[in-house]
Amino acid sequence: MSLPPTRWELAGEGNRGYGEHFAERVARGDDVDGEARLADALVPRGARILDVGSGMGRVAAALAARGHDVVATEPDPELRAQSQATYAGLEVLPHEALALDPEQVGGFDLVVVVGNVFIYLGEGTERAVLARLRDLLAPGGRVLAGFHLSAVKTGSRTYPPDEFVADVAAAGLRVVHRFGSYELHEPNDEYAVWVLARD
């Protein structure tokens, strides 16, 4: 199946600072586990978790360290290489969301899609991606998503909350919670953290 290019791919060299930024933060010993702490709180110990667009691996590695069965997937070869160099024990599949087959890798208690993945998806693929994430869930499973609501990153899109909620509903999911941060601040106009479940 031929997939449309993602906005991340189209941005090319314009997005290379992402991996460098987080490598520097990890090297300094900064706290970069906010997403992982919330994901960990949403599931029991030993949960099966999928990290879509795992980037340089920091969230997936933190969840694995907390005792979860984690599958990471990152289509960008440079970020996969950085992930292997930073977290040697973390296996990362080279797939984007629409290339994941629910019959082969499904049954997740939680699917994590953070780090602005949603505003870098291929144009017009948002509902298809949400439907695929739905199909990857185990019964009772949920999706944790987080992204900037406006196009503040190179090559990204603006994704207003009402449009995202409409896409969620069209994909057979529903919004369980919306927050303004991974520390559960109230919703704001800059960043949104969503917990989704099957409708």
Side-chain angles (χ1 to χ4, degrees), residues 136-157:
L136 289 163
L137 294 174
R142 293 181 287 180
V143 175
L144 174 64
F147 54 88
H148 282 93
L149 297 170
S150 58
V152 296
K153 304 292 184 180
T154 301
S156 67
R157 64 161 292 190

Side-chain angles (χ1 to χ4, degrees), residues 2-23:
S2 178
L3 300 174
T6 64
R7 291 179 176 86
W8 181 266
E9 291 175 289
L10 294 174
E13 292 302 314
N15 55 31
R16 290 301 162 210
Y18 165 82
E20 296 170 4
H21 168 72
F22 277 104

Side-chain angles (χ1 to χ4, degrees), residues 51-55 74 97 112-122 129 146-147:
D51 185 359
V52 175
S54 57
E74 172 54 61
V112 176
V113 196
V114 296
N116 286 314
V117 170
F118 267 104
I119 59 174
Y120 278 110
L121 296 177
V129 168
F147 54 88

Side-chain angles (χ1 to χ4, degrees), residues 6 8 37 56 64 71 75 77 79 117 144 162 175 181 188 194 197:
T6 64
W8 181 266
R37 280 194 296 273
M56 55 92 70
V71 175
L79 289 176
V117 170
L144 174 64
D162 56 348
V175 174
S181 73
N188 59 62
W194 310 85

Side-chain angles (χ1 to χ4, degrees), residues 88-108:
L90 180 67
E91 181 181 0
V92 184
L93 302 176
H95 307 306
E96 61 177 277
L98 289 175
L100 296 170
D101 184 347
E103 293 187 4
Q104 294 181 354
V105 295
F108 291 98

